[in-house]
């Protein structure tokens, strides 16, 4: 055969093979990701509903608002709006279909961009391996399950930048692609912009350093294309939003976002093993093998770009080690494609060398031990792939449940509400069904969010019919309807509120004698009313319990010059013949913390009740952890200065009492795991005449060392009595939120529904299915 013909035949065969791979693999990608997005019967994630909302706003108003850094840049929403406009879709089912189609197209673009980059830098075989390895990386799937299409789009354009930046000096067409890629990265996502800028700096420095003579002009054109493409977006979108905050931006972005601490666990070694498995080891080796292949002068720029794009997101993901606070987990998504590329280099290198090694050492492979080792290596490789596939599948199914923020039942509930109540009133919904309920019902929605990620104040307030008092160290909540829980105190950890203690009506009782008969009245048996008021700059929450015989009022108040919360109780009999009144109160500590030490001045000094050596301590040890307990009792004379302290030495959380009126008796209880779970005490009054009021009062203090660095067990008592510089106090009243936001309906996920809320006078049950209930607010 003619050598020229043979070469052409070989090239044609390779093109056909590449086309076949791209066709089959593209079909796999589209089907796989569409199926994953549809796991809950509708669509996973809350973010796609916000993208759809913004796209519809663009279409309805004809305007694209810019300069809002609180949400992603509008490129993805613009493309989605174009899809909707071109298709003429209007029904919500059609719109959801378009959202999913666009999402899987973006997935395809991201994976194909990795294939193209790897093929350009190394070979098409290596590119195919890299694309396949991406499917063994769980972050690729998780990105879709919570709706991170804008991140995927940013990654795709970053990969295109790494491809065409070195080529831009050769052709004007490549220069234009570089310009549009730079423009698109910045219009896709803020973090993509951040990563791209840092990753491309070494590449640009290398390119400019290597440019000489006439070539220098070509390199400067590339730099100009990058600056112009990115600069246009910067002034269109970023500059207006940033200009007013330049003075505090560095401090805020890098050091003040402590709430991101919850993401640190996603960047540990264990998280890498779960996310990437064997790809992690192959990536490390791949850096060396990539250097060997790309160390020639014309290809070094690719190595620098790939290595920089690997190192930058890795360092940013681990930046908590340097005291920075960034969205650590999100950088893992930008790290993923580079890990797949370098791992593919290792596999391709091994695939190239193994046949040669076998040909040169064929005689050695006749030895039994070599054959056994070879078979063992093949088995281990197959097991690694099998285990990795199982892990990824398991995580996909787990995340599919976690990110399923809506379902068919939510769709049905939303359509019912739209059809039966056409008025344009706002709906407050639980985290599930989330923002998608807005698309289903055609009504404005305020959705509950995970408070660790972002606290939605209005949703929290309305869903629980709650009242709040917040100051820098403590958040106090009282509930109109939350089961038996009446009020809670919270401490701040990394700028996120965590419950430290709570009071419940099933732990509070009134004992009394009426006409010579002893009686026990649980506060849970009384009707309850809660109000929020301000008096002389002091914020107060009043919890009023009443029946035909008694009115009992619990008042919680906060001042802006001291951290403790003042609590007072008043008891007013409405009938005569009442005597020997005893108010038995319980304060429960949240068991998510580990309060393990207590200080009762005359009984125990910062020890656990299980370890206290005192005749006031009673223990029950049956060998059954569910029934074992230890209780340290105290009387009023034990409370020096009225003080009692508790401390969680693991999390550095403190809780303390300052009894203005000392109780006659009380105790501190500890469970078998040594967690102090409650403090109980009682006040006693002798004869109480009809309409005569008796009172008792005390203070509570909740503090975390995380937000109050001076905190130690030994200075806790002093903090109770110290005044502080004046600070701001914020309050919330769910009634105000309802009025100010024109809220007309509340939708609850049954798994989060407190059945006692049905008794609320302002709520009318209008719809229910086996997953959701809808209440109409009665004003």
């Amino acid at each position: 055969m003619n050598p020229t013909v043979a070469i052409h035949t070989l090239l044609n065969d390779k093109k056909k093979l590449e086309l076949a791979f791209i066709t089959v693999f593209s079909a796999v990608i589209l089907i796989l990701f569409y199926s994953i997005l549809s796991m809950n019967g509708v669509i996973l994630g809350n973010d796609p509903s916000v993208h759809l909302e913004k796209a519809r706003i663009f279409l309805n108003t004809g305007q694209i608002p810019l300069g809002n850094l609180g949400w992603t840049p509008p490129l993805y929403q613009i493309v989605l709006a174009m899809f909707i406009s071109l298709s003429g879709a209007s029904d919500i089912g059609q719109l959801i279909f378009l959202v999913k189609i666009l999402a899987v197209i973006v997935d395809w673009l991201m994976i194909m961009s990795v294939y193209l980059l790897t093929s350009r830098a190394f070979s098409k075989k290596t590119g195919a391996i890299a694309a396949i390895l991406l499917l063994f990386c769980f972050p690729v799937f998780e990105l879709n399950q919570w709706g991170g299409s804008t991140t995927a789009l940013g990654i795709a354009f970053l990969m295109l930048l790494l491809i065409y930046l070195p080529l831009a000096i050769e052709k004007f067409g490549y220069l234009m692609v570089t310009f549009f890629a730079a423009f698109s990265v910045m219009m896709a996502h803020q973090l993509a912009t951040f990563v791209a800028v840092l990753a491309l700096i070494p590449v640009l420095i290398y390119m400019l350093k290597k440019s000489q003579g006439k070539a220098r002009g070509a390199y400067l054109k590339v730099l100009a294309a990058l600056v112009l493409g990115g600069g246009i977006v910067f002034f269109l979108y970023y500059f207006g939003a940033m200009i007013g905050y330049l003075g505090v931006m560095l401090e805020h972005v890098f050091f003040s976002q402590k709430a991101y601490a919850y993401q640190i666990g996603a960047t540990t070694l264990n998280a890498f093993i779960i996310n990437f498995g064997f790809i992690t080891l192959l990536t490390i080796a791949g850096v060396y093998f990539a250097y060997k292949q790309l160390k020639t002068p014309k290809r070094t720029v690719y190595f620098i770009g790939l290595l920089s794009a690997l190192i930058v997101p890795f360092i940013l993901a681990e930046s908590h080690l340097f005291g920075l606070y960034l969205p650590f987990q999100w950088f893992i998504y930008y790290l993923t494609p580079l890990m797949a590329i370098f791992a593919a280099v290792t596999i391709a290198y091994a695939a190239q060398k193994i046949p040669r090694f076998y040909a040169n050492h064929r005689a050695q492979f006749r030895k039994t031990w070599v054959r056994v080792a070879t078979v063992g290596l093949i088995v281990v490789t197959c097991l690694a792939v099998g285990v990795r596939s199982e892990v990824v599948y398991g995580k996909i199914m787990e995340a599919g449940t976690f990110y399923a923020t809506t379902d068919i039942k939510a769709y049905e509930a939303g359509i019912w509400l739209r059809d039966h109540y056409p008025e344009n009133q706002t709906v407050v919904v639980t985290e599930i069904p989330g923002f998608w309920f807005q698309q289903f019902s055609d009504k404005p929605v305020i959705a509950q969010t995970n408070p660790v990620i972002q606290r939605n104040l209005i949703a929290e307030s309305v869903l629980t019919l709650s009242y709040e008092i917040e100051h820098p160290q403590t958040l106090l909540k009282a509930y109109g309807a939350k089961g038996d829980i009446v009020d809670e105190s919270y401490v701040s950890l990394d700028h996120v509120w965590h419950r430290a203690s709570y009071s419940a009506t099933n732990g509070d009782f009134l004992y009394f004698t009426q006409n010579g008969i002893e009686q026990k009245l649980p506060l849970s048996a009384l009707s309850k009313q809660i109000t929020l008021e301000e008096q002389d700059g002091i914020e107060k929450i009043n919890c009023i319990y009443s029946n035909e015989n008694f009115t009992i009022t619990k008042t919680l108040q906060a001042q802006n010059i001291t951290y403790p919360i003042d609590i007072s109780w008043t008891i007013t009999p409405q009938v005569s013949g009442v005597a020997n009144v005893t108010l038995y109160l319980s304060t429960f500590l949240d068991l998510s913390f580990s309060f393990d030490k207590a200080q009762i001045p005359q009984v125990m000094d910062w020890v656990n009740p299980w370890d206290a050596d005192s005749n006031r301590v009673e223990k029950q040890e049956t060998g059954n952890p569910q029934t074992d307990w230890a209780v340290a009792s105290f009387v009023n004379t034990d409370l020096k200065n009225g003080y009692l302290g508790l401390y969680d030495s693991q999390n550095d959380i403190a809780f303390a009492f300052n009894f203005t009126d000392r109780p006659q008796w009380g105790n501190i209880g500890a469970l078998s795991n040594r967690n102090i779970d409650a403090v109980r005490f009682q006040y006693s009054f002798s004869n109480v005449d009809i309409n005569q009021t008796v009172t008792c009062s005390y203070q509570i203090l909740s503090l975390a060392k995380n937000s109050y660095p001076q905190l130690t067990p030994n200075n806790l008592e002093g903090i109770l009595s110290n005044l502080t510089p004046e600070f701001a106090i914020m309050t919330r009243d769910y009634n105000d939120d309802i009025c100010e936001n024109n809220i007309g309906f509340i939708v609850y996920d049954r798994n989060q529904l407190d059945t006692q809320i049905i008794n609320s006078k302002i709520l009318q049950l209008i719809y229910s299915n086996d997953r959701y209930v809808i209440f109409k607010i009665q004003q």
Side-chain angles (χ1 to χ4, degrees):
M1 180 183 291
N2 188 308
T4 303
V5 175
I7 293 172
H8 281 296
T9 302
L10 181 61
L11 290 175
N12 288 332
D13 290 343
K14 286 185 176 181
K15 288 181 179 179
K16 290 178 181 178
L17 184 62
E18 181 184 14
L19 181 61
F21 168 78
I22 292 175
T23 302
V24 174
F25 193 67
S26 295
V28 169
I29 292 171
L30 297 176
I31 295 171
L32 176 63
F33 284 101
Y34 187 89
S35 301
I36 289 174
L37 285 171
S38 307
M39 287 176 68
N40 64 341
V42 185
I43 183 172
L44 290 178
N46 254 328
D47 281 19
S49 66
V50 184
H51 295 313
L52 177 57
E53 176 196 358
K54 291 187 176 296
R56 295 177 79 177
I57 291 173
F58 296 167
L59 291 172
N60 292 333
T61 64
Q63 297 179 346
I64 301 174
L66 299 173
N68 176 21
L69 289 178
W71 186 244
T72 58
L75 178 61
Y76 184 83
Q77 294 89 9
I78 292 171
V79 176
L80 180 56
M82 292 172 59
F83 270 49
I84 296 172
S85 179
L86 292 173
S87 66
S90 57
D91 178 75
I92 183 60
Q94 297 171 339
L95 294 172
I96 291 173
F97 176 73
L98 286 181
V99 169
K100 290 192 284 190
I101 288 297
L102 179 57
V104 297
I105 289 174
V106 170
D107 291 327
W108 177 85
L109 179 62
M110 178 181 68
I111 294 174
M112 285 298 106
S113 68
V114 171
Y115 169 76
L116 292 174
L117 173 58
T118 313
S119 299
R120 183 70 191 183
F122 300 97
S123 67
K124 288 182 171 58
K125 181 191 298 184
T126 309
I129 296 171
I132 293 171
L133 285 180
L134 276 177
L135 302 184
F136 288 88
C137 300
F138 173 63
V140 172
F141 300 100
E142 185 181 39
L143 185 64
N144 280 269
Q145 290 177 298
W146 60 260
S149 295
T150 54
T151 299
L153 191 63
I155 291 173
F157 283 116
L158 175 58
M159 297 299 103
L160 292 177
L161 262 181
L162 292 174
I163 295 172
Y164 288 101
L165 189 60
L167 300 175
I169 60 172
E170 300 175 6
K171 294 182 180 180
F172 179 76
Y174 293 155
L175 186 67
M176 292 304 298
V177 172
T178 302
F179 167 82
F180 285 112
F183 180 92
S184 300
V185 166
M186 296 192 72
M187 282 292 285
H189 202 284
Q190 298 96 319
L191 282 186
T193 301
F194 188 44
V195 172
V197 169
L198 294 179
L200 292 179
I201 287 175
V203 178
L204 293 173
I205 291 175
Y206 176 81
M207 291 176 67
L208 291 173
K209 184 178 178 182
K210 288 295 182 180
S211 63
Q212 295 179 355
K214 295 182 180 179
R216 189 170 186 82
Y219 283 101
L220 291 176
K221 289 180 182 179
V222 174
L223 180 59
L226 280 176
V227 172
L228 185 60
I232 290 173
V233 181
F234 178 80
F235 283 102
L236 276 177
Y237 185 79
Y238 294 88
F239 182 76
M242 294 169 54
I243 187 63
Y245 306 96
L246 291 179
V248 296
M249 183 163 292
L250 289 178
E251 171 67 24
H252 177 75
V253 171
F254 293 103
F255 301 101
S256 299
Q257 297 296 304
K258 292 186 178 181
Y260 285 134
Y262 80 93
Q263 295 188 1
I264 292 176
T267 64
T268 62
L269 178 60
N270 183 61
F272 269 82
I273 293 173
I274 292 174
N275 283 330
F276 303 108
F278 64 84
I279 294 173
T280 306
L281 295 176
L282 295 179
T283 297
I284 297 171
V287 173
Y288 170 73
F289 295 130
Y291 172 73
K292 289 188 66 174
Q293 296 181 52
L294 300 177
K295 62 182 179 180
T296 59
K298 290 185 178 181
R299 296 165 65 83
T300 301
V301 65
Y302 280 112
F303 177 75
I304 294 173
L306 292 170
L307 184 63
S308 179
L310 175 74
I311 292 175
V312 166
F314 177 77
I315 292 176
L316 294 174
E318 305 296 336
S319 59
H320 54 87
L321 299 174
F322 314 110
L324 302 182
Y325 286 93
L326 297 170
F328 311 111
Q329 180 181 2
W330 297 347
F331 291 113
I332 298 298
Y333 301 124
Y334 295 92
L335 180 67
T336 299
L338 279 302
M339 292 191 67
I341 290 172
F342 280 108
V345 171
T346 300
I347 294 175
Y349 186 84
Q352 180 185 9
K353 295 296 182 182
I354 288 174
R356 294 181 184 178
F357 182 83
Y358 175 75
N360 295 333
H361 302 83
R362 186 172 299 176
Q364 299 294 326
F365 279 85
R366 296 191 181 98
K367 296 180 180 180
T368 303
W369 71 268
V370 176
R371 291 181 178 179
V372 171
T374 302
V375 172
L377 183 61
I378 294 172
V379 170
V380 168
T381 301
C382 293
L383 285 174
V385 173
V387 169
R388 184 68 205 146
S389 301
E390 185 177 352
V391 169
V392 172
Y393 176 77
K395 293 298 292 182
I396 289 173
M397 299 307 294
E398 178 185 326
T401 301
F402 181 78
Y403 293 114
T405 54
T406 195
D407 54 23
I408 291 295
K409 294 296 182 181
Y411 178 87
E412 294 172 354
I415 296 299
W416 184 92
L417 184 62
R418 182 196 67 188
D419 294 341
H420 288 79
Y421 290 88
E423 59 264 33
N424 188 32
Q425 287 186 297
T426 301
V427 184
V428 173
V429 303
T430 47
E431 192 170 354
I432 300 172
F435 288 107
W436 272 110
F437 200 82
Q438 176 165 306
Q439 305 301 327
F440 303 153
S441 65
D442 278 339
K443 298 183 185 301
V445 161
I446 299 175
Q448 180 189 33
T449 54
N450 186 335
V452 174
I453 299 173
Q454 183 181 20
R455 185 174 173 230
N456 190 315
L457 300 175
I458 297 174
E460 281 189 25
S461 172
V462 174
L463 286 170
T464 56
L465 306 183
S466 67
Y467 303 82
E468 289 186 9
I469 297 176
E470 178 183 342
H471 67 61
Q473 301 300 330
T474 302
L475 171 66
L476 186 68
K477 288 187 175 186
Y479 299 98
K482 192 179 182 182
D484 292 315
I485 295 177
V486 182
D487 57 77
E488 300 172 329
S489 70
Y490 289 73
V491 294
S492 177
L493 297 176
D494 294 321
H495 295 182
V496 178
W497 292 112
H498 295 264
R499 188 176 72 170
S501 71
Y502 64 95
S503 297
T505 53
N506 60 6
D508 297 336
F509 303 91
L510 189 71
Y511 296 90
F512 60 95
T513 301
Q514 186 175 13
N515 300 324
I517 301 175
E518 294 183 356
Q519 299 191 41
K520 176 184 178 181
L521 178 64
L523 297 196
S524 58
L526 306 178
S527 64
K528 180 177 64 175
Q529 178 185 359
I530 299 180
T531 62
L532 177 67
E533 64 176 282
E534 180 182 355
Q535 183 177 353
D536 299 327
I538 298 175
E539 305 294 344
K540 294 183 179 182
I541 295 176
N542 299 308
C543 307
I544 304 169
Y545 306 90
S546 61
N547 65 5
E548 66 276 9
N549 296 325
F550 287 93
T551 298
I552 303 171
T553 302
K554 179 182 183 181
T555 300
L556 306 100
Q557 68 177 37
Q559 302 181 58
N560 62 354
I561 55 172
T562 182
Y563 292 140
I565 302 298
D566 297 307
I567 301 178
S568 63
W569 290 83
T570 64
I571 306 171
T572 306
Q574 307 298 327
V575 294
S576 59
V578 174
N580 302 321
V581 175
T582 296
L583 182 61
Y584 180 95
L585 303 173
S586 302
T587 297
F588 300 98
L589 301 173
D590 196 298
L591 295 180
S592 63
F593 292 121
S594 303
F595 287 95
D596 57 345
K597 296 178 180 179
Q599 184 181 42
I600 308 173
Q602 307 299 327
V603 179
M604 51 197 292
D605 187 24
W606 294 124
V607 295
N608 192 278
W610 285 99
D611 301 327
D613 184 16
S614 171
N615 57 8
R616 300 282 181 82
V617 178
E618 182 181 355
K619 302 175 184 178
Q620 174 175 297
E621 298 182 80
T622 63
N624 182 355
Q626 295 182 348
T627 59
D628 288 353
W629 47 261
V631 170
S633 300
F634 58 87
V635 296
N636 56 3
T637 55
D638 295 326
L639 300 174
K640 181 182 178 182
N641 299 325
Y643 164 76
L644 184 153
L646 306 161
Y647 203 82
D648 173 355
S649 54
Q650 178 180 339
N651 299 289
D652 283 314
I653 308 293
F655 189 86
F657 290 86
N658 180 31
F659 292 101
T660 309
D661 298 307
R662 300 183 191 182
Q664 279 70 33
W665 170 91
N667 68 38
I668 296 177
L671 304 175
S672 59
N673 61 2
R674 303 175 65 85
N675 276 10
I676 297 173
D677 70 318
V679 179
R680 304 171 180 88
F681 50 91
Q682 65 184 37
Y683 291 96
S684 298
F685 309 93
S686 53
N687 295 331
V688 185
D689 294 332
I690 183 172
N691 295 327
Q692 177 187 352
T693 298
V694 293
T695 65
C696 55
S697 61
Y698 53 92
Q699 294 178 313
I700 61 170
L701 175 67
S702 305
L703 276 181
K705 192 178 184 69
N706 183 276
S707 61
Y708 190 81
Q710 307 93 307
L711 177 66
T712 65
N714 293 329
N715 71 1
L716 184 56
E717 183 178 359
I719 298 171
L720 273 164
S721 57
N722 288 343
L723 298 179
T724 67
E726 189 171 316
F727 52 79
I729 293 181
M730 294 179 287
T731 61
R732 297 198 73 85
D733 183 333
Y734 74 90
N735 292 294
D736 295 338
D737 288 330
I738 289 174
C739 293
E740 292 171 4
N741 296 280
N742 189 31
I743 297 172
F745 304 92
I746 304 179
V747 180
Y748 290 95
D749 177 0
R750 282 184 176 273
N751 296 326
Q752 294 182 254
L753 177 64
D754 177 1
T755 54
Q756 290 195 21
I757 208 166
I758 297 175
N759 300 322
S760 173
K761 295 179 181 179
I762 73 164
L763 298 182
Q764 176 191 0
L765 179 64
I766 59 173
Y767 177 86
S768 176
N769 61 29
D770 57 6
R771 182 62 193 273
Y772 303 100
V773 294
I774 303 178
F775 290 94
K776 181 173 176 56
I777 295 176
Q778 307 277 14
Q779 291 288 4

